[in-house]
Amino acid sequence: MLNDIHFVLSHTTHPGNIGAAARALKTMGLQHLKLVNPKDFPSAEATRRASRADDILANAQVCNTIEEAVTEAKLIVGTSARSRTLPWPMLEPRELAEKIANDPAQRPVAILFGTENSGLTNEELQMCHYHVCIPTNPEYSSLNVASAIQLITYELRLAALAQDQEIVVAPPIEDEGELPARSEDIEQMFDHWQQVMEHSGFYNPLKPKKIQMRFRRIFNKAQLTDSEVRLLRGYLAAIRKYESQ
Amino acid sequence: MLNDIHFVLSHTTHPGNIGAAARALKTMGLQHLKLVNPKDFPSAEATRRASRADDILANAQVCNTIEEAVTEAKLIVGTSARSRTLPWPMLEPRELAEKIANDPAQRPVAILFGTENSGLTNEELQMCHYHVCIPTNPEYSSLNVASAIQLITYELRLAALAQDQEIVVAPPIEDEGELPARSEDIEQMFDHWQQVMEHSGFYNPLKPKKIQMRFRRIFNKAQLTDSEVRLLRGYLAAIRKYESQ
């Protein structure tokens, strides 16, 4: 699925944003970047901000028109911060990701991003099947273009992983000490704990149950592992030994 | 909810990332930024990248230590890309946002971000109740720190919006002792714990860090309340007193 999604940046002004976009794509396992008339590309600043995602930049397709960039797309989506005069079918990023995951027939998909200052033109927005709007703070919705790409690629990756998960089996825990402890072992540790408690005189004979219960709750909340039970017992044994000297 | 979450950037190298972090926070309706020993701040580059979110920068609290930055936090969360030798309770950003939304008693929350090159130190990671890991591409997980902040703030905003729609009122906690303990009190208890440990001879001088780390994990998993911290301190004091006789 992730291989079937193209990110199209139209008339980007700052090369740093192109580099950051490449990095955002790659962190989420995507790779296809198309640049429509970028102001400054290729650029050292783009490469610097791409931080080892420069293969995405090297393979980026530079286009003269937005039509050229979306020729093969079956679903075209435009990002839009503003509500426009003409209402358009709207999706949030999560809904968009689910739609793409659930409908392979609509791929390849093109997701369009406009200039830093004014976003997509009305003409570009009207080429789209859907507009995707990120639910930002209404008092400050100034999301950087690479940040918007990061959020959308993240939702796409989660949707792709959710789809794969039906097949994926959880990896085994390699260190057996990290498995949850058996309740019998926890009880023995807890008996030991109480012995040290009584021995040290901390045990309050008036309310013994309540104190026991509170310690028990601490250890229950911690969901102790095998190795942790052994560690606590070692500690208790050391204290007992010291006390007997 | 969003007002009760503090983003803590530890030893950030590039001022541009601090500016981009401020912008990311503000787009999602958050505002609290703390900077632990930033390399270069205040900085024109930070202000430029903040793009009108400079009020966040102006109000950012600069701290000398990570402890100072998290003193008031009841839930401390560290961002971590790597899987560590000692497994720690892990959350994905969406799970973290739901947890914060559903449990007002755990606020204020501090979310920690490490340096650009190496992330949080092991010591910083061990202060945390949870580690949050963004599910990036395993072959290229090089997420920019401001991008990581953008993703986490986005999930927090979505969780806050979802909650507003439900108008759920959380039941008040009647017993104040049952509120989560302050991190400062937990640290003091933990210092006390280590004194008893050293005193009893349990302290293994060859691997002291590892044992400390394991105990710390137990108590972090337990998410101690005020009354539990007092109970543990009472217990430790009784043992010390007994040992001194």
Side-chain angles (χ1 to χ4, degrees), chain B residues 34-52:
Chain B
K34 296 189 178 190
L35 305 171
V36 180
N37 276 332
K39 192 176 170 195
D40 182 7
F41 184 83
S43 144
E45 173 69 2
T47 306
R48 190 183 69 75
R49 288 282 298 279
S51 174
R52 289 184 297 113

mmCIF file of all heavy atoms in Angstrom, chain B residues 34-52:
data_model
loop_
_atom_site.group_PDB
_atom_site.id
_atom_site.type_symbol
_atom_site.label_atom_id
_atom_site.label_comp_id
_atom_site.label_asym_id
_atom_site.label_seq_id
_atom_site.Cartn_x
_atom_site.Cartn_y
_atom_site.Cartn_z
ATOM 1 N N LYS B 34 9.914 23.226 28.020
ATOM 2 C CA LYS B 34 11.034 23.391 28.947
ATOM 3 C C LYS B 34 12.303 22.932 28.238
ATOM 4 O O LYS B 34 12.296 21.902 27.566
ATOM 5 C CB LYS B 34 10.803 22.558 30.212
ATOM 6 C CG LYS B 34 9.589 23.019 31.014
ATOM 7 C CD LYS B 34 9.506 22.335 32.348
ATOM 8 C CE LYS B 34 8.300 22.866 33.118
ATOM 9 N NZ LYS B 34 8.299 22.422 34.517
ATOM 10 N N LEU B 35 13.364 23.684 28.443
ATOM 11 C CA LEU B 35 14.616 23.383 27.746
ATOM 12 C C LEU B 35 15.689 23.120 28.792
ATOM 13 O O LEU B 35 16.012 24.001 29.598
ATOM 14 C CB LEU B 35 15.024 24.572 26.874
ATOM 15 C CG LEU B 35 13.950 25.037 25.865
ATOM 16 C CD1 LEU B 35 14.366 26.354 25.220
ATOM 17 C CD2 LEU B 35 13.736 23.968 24.798
ATOM 18 N N VAL B 36 16.239 21.916 28.785
ATOM 19 C CA VAL B 36 17.308 21.588 29.725
ATOM 20 C C VAL B 36 18.639 21.815 29.016
ATOM 21 O O VAL B 36 18.947 21.124 28.037
ATOM 22 C CB VAL B 36 17.202 20.123 30.196
ATOM 23 C CG1 VAL B 36 18.321 19.814 31.181
ATOM 24 C CG2 VAL B 36 15.842 19.868 30.829
ATOM 25 N N ASN B 37 19.399 22.796 29.509
ATOM 26 C CA ASN B 37 20.712 23.093 28.931
ATOM 27 C C ASN B 37 20.758 23.089 27.405
ATOM 28 O O ASN B 37 21.542 22.338 26.802
ATOM 29 C CB ASN B 37 21.748 22.081 29.448
ATOM 30 C CG ASN B 37 22.295 22.501 30.793
ATOM 31 O OD1 ASN B 37 22.342 23.685 31.103
ATOM 32 N ND2 ASN B 37 22.694 21.526 31.588
ATOM 33 N N PRO B 38 19.954 23.926 26.759
ATOM 34 C CA PRO B 38 20.045 23.967 25.289
ATOM 35 C C PRO B 38 21.396 24.539 24.880
ATOM 36 O O PRO B 38 21.947 25.391 25.581
ATOM 37 C CB PRO B 38 18.901 24.918 24.903
ATOM 38 C CG PRO B 38 18.687 25.776 26.118
ATOM 39 C CD PRO B 38 19.013 24.917 27.310
ATOM 40 N N LYS B 39 21.937 24.060 23.784
ATOM 41 C CA LYS B 39 23.270 24.500 23.368
ATOM 42 C C LYS B 39 23.273 25.957 22.937
ATOM 43 O O LYS B 39 24.226 26.684 23.201
ATOM 44 C CB LYS B 39 23.761 23.615 22.208
ATOM 45 C CG LYS B 39 25.235 23.814 21.919
ATOM 46 C CD LYS B 39 25.739 22.870 20.844
ATOM 47 C CE LYS B 39 27.140 23.242 20.414
ATOM 48 N NZ LYS B 39 27.526 22.607 19.158
ATOM 49 N N ASP B 40 22.183 26.380 22.299
ATOM 50 C CA ASP B 40 22.162 27.728 21.721
ATOM 51 C C ASP B 40 20.744 28.282 21.810
ATOM 52 O O ASP B 40 19.900 28.028 20.928
ATOM 53 C CB ASP B 40 22.631 27.630 20.261
ATOM 54 C CG ASP B 40 22.696 28.993 19.579
ATOM 55 O OD1 ASP B 40 22.503 30.026 20.269
ATOM 56 O OD2 ASP B 40 22.928 29.017 18.352
ATOM 57 N N PHE B 41 20.455 29.006 22.884
ATOM 58 C CA PHE B 41 19.122 29.568 23.087
ATOM 59 C C PHE B 41 19.198 30.697 24.095
ATOM 60 O O PHE B 41 19.889 30.558 25.101
ATOM 61 C CB PHE B 41 18.170 28.477 23.616
ATOM 62 C CG PHE B 41 16.759 28.971 23.762
ATOM 63 C CD1 PHE B 41 15.903 29.003 22.670
ATOM 64 C CD2 PHE B 41 16.294 29.421 24.999
ATOM 65 C CE1 PHE B 41 14.613 29.474 22.805
ATOM 66 C CE2 PHE B 41 15.004 29.893 25.129
ATOM 67 C CZ PHE B 41 14.166 29.927 24.033
ATOM 68 N N PRO B 42 18.508 31.815 23.872
ATOM 69 C CA PRO B 42 17.698 32.159 22.694
ATOM 70 C C PRO B 42 18.550 32.303 21.441
ATOM 71 O O PRO B 42 19.753 32.558 21.515
ATOM 72 C CB PRO B 42 17.054 33.494 23.083
ATOM 73 C CG PRO B 42 17.547 33.874 24.422
ATOM 74 C CD PRO B 42 18.509 32.867 24.877
ATOM 75 N N SER B 43 17.910 32.204 20.301
ATOM 76 C CA SER B 43 18.638 32.182 19.032
ATOM 77 C C SER B 43 17.724 32.693 17.925
ATOM 78 O O SER B 43 16.524 32.386 17.905
ATOM 79 C CB SER B 43 19.076 30.745 18.744
ATOM 80 O OG SER B 43 19.020 30.456 17.370
ATOM 81 N N ALA B 44 18.306 33.461 17.006
ATOM 82 C CA ALA B 44 17.514 33.996 15.887
ATOM 83 C C ALA B 44 16.953 32.854 15.050
ATOM 84 O O ALA B 44 15.830 32.930 14.536
ATOM 85 C CB ALA B 44 18.394 34.907 15.031
ATOM 86 N N GLU B 45 17.740 31.777 14.930
ATOM 87 C CA GLU B 45 17.299 30.633 14.126
ATOM 88 C C GLU B 45 16.077 29.973 14.763
ATOM 89 O O GLU B 45 15.123 29.572 14.074
ATOM 90 C CB GLU B 45 18.464 29.626 13.991
ATOM 91 C CG GLU B 45 18.133 28.307 13.317
ATOM 92 C CD GLU B 45 17.822 28.438 11.816
ATOM 93 O OE1 GLU B 45 17.898 29.569 11.293
ATOM 94 O OE2 GLU B 45 17.480 27.413 11.207
ATOM 95 N N ALA B 46 16.062 29.868 16.082
ATOM 96 C CA ALA B 46 14.896 29.304 16.770
ATOM 97 C C ALA B 46 13.672 30.167 16.508
ATOM 98 O O ALA B 46 12.586 29.655 16.172
ATOM 99 C CB ALA B 46 15.162 29.194 18.273
ATOM 100 N N THR B 47 13.842 31.478 16.613
ATOM 101 C CA THR B 47 12.708 32.395 16.414
ATOM 102 C C THR B 47 12.191 32.309 14.980
ATOM 103 O O THR B 47 10.981 32.301 14.744
ATOM 104 C CB THR B 47 13.151 33.840 16.745
ATOM 105 O OG1 THR B 47 13.700 33.841 18.064
ATOM 106 C CG2 THR B 47 11.981 34.794 16.685
ATOM 107 N N ARG B 48 13.139 32.197 14.041
ATOM 108 C CA ARG B 48 12.724 32.122 12.633
ATOM 109 C C ARG B 48 11.899 30.853 12.379
ATOM 110 O O ARG B 48 10.817 30.912 11.791
ATOM 111 C CB ARG B 48 13.988 32.116 11.742
ATOM 112 C CG ARG B 48 13.691 32.280 10.253
ATOM 113 C CD ARG B 48 14.963 32.195 9.410
ATOM 114 N NE ARG B 48 15.544 30.856 9.375
ATOM 115 C CZ ARG B 48 15.047 29.829 8.672
ATOM 116 N NH1 ARG B 48 13.968 29.984 7.930
ATOM 117 N NH2 ARG B 48 15.630 28.646 8.700
ATOM 118 N N ARG B 49 12.395 29.735 12.893
ATOM 119 C CA ARG B 49 11.687 28.477 12.644
ATOM 120 C C ARG B 49 10.381 28.396 13.443
ATOM 121 O O ARG B 49 9.495 27.607 13.111
ATOM 122 C CB ARG B 49 12.589 27.267 12.978
ATOM 123 C CG ARG B 49 13.732 27.026 11.979
ATOM 124 C CD ARG B 49 13.284 26.342 10.695
ATOM 125 N NE ARG B 49 12.747 25.022 10.925
ATOM 126 C CZ ARG B 49 13.479 23.933 11.095
ATOM 127 N NH1 ARG B 49 14.786 23.994 11.012
ATOM 128 N NH2 ARG B 49 12.898 22.765 11.316
ATOM 129 N N ALA B 50 10.265 29.173 14.496
ATOM 130 C CA ALA B 50 9.019 29.132 15.281
ATOM 131 C C ALA B 50 7.861 29.768 14.517
ATOM 132 O O ALA B 50 6.694 29.466 14.792
ATOM 133 C CB ALA B 50 9.219 29.845 16.614
ATOM 134 N N SER B 51 8.174 30.661 13.554
ATOM 135 C CA SER B 51 7.144 31.237 12.679
ATOM 136 C C SER B 51 5.886 31.681 13.428
ATOM 137 O O SER B 51 4.855 31.047 13.366
ATOM 138 C CB SER B 51 6.777 30.197 11.607
ATOM 139 O OG SER B 51 5.715 30.628 10.818
ATOM 140 N N ARG B 52 5.965 32.760 14.133
ATOM 141 C CA ARG B 52 4.846 33.338 14.889
ATOM 142 C C ARG B 52 4.408 32.486 16.096
ATOM 143 O O ARG B 52 3.397 32.801 16.726
ATOM 144 C CB ARG B 52 3.641 33.630 13.998
ATOM 145 C CG ARG B 52 3.884 34.822 13.040
ATOM 146 C CD ARG B 52 2.615 35.126 12.261
ATOM 147 N NE ARG B 52 2.224 34.018 11.426
ATOM 148 C CZ ARG B 52 1.129 33.282 11.597
ATOM 149 N NH1 ARG B 52 0.278 33.553 12.552
ATOM 150 N NH2 ARG B 52 0.869 32.282 10.777
#
